[in-house]
Amino acid sequence: MIDQVIKQIEELFNSDLTDYRISKDAGLPLSVIQNYRRGMYELENMSFKVAKK
């Protein structure tokens, strides 16, 4: 199940959606989205709270 969530998040990050759009839709700070997309943070270490959003 966790692998499915990670896969969905990877697909989202590989989409054409902008960092800004993802952050606004998820209610997360732009810098968090940017750090995950740039690989500064590992998706496997993402908190459940962030992944849920």
Side-chain angles (χ1 to χ4, degrees), residues 2-3 5-7 9 11 13-14 18-21 23-25 28 31 36 38 42-43 45-47 49-52:
I2 293 174
D3 291 333
V5 173
I6 291 172
K7 184 177 178 182
I9 294 169
E11 289 174 3
F13 286 165
N14 290 328
T18 64
D19 294 344
Y20 178 80
R21 173 55 40 209
S23 74
K24 288 299 172 188
D25 289 349
L28 294 167
S31 61
Y36 278 111
R38 292 178 183 155
E42 296 290 327
L43 289 179
N45 296 331
M46 183 181 283
S47 72
K49 182 179 180 180
V50 171
K52 183 179 173 184

Side-chain angles (χ1 to χ4, degrees), residues 32-46:
V32 170
I33 301 302
Q34 291 171 330
N35 288 334
Y36 278 111
R37 267 193 155 170
R38 292 178 183 155
M40 296 178 75
Y41 297 161
E42 296 290 327
L43 289 179
E44 291 81 9
N45 296 331
M46 183 181 283

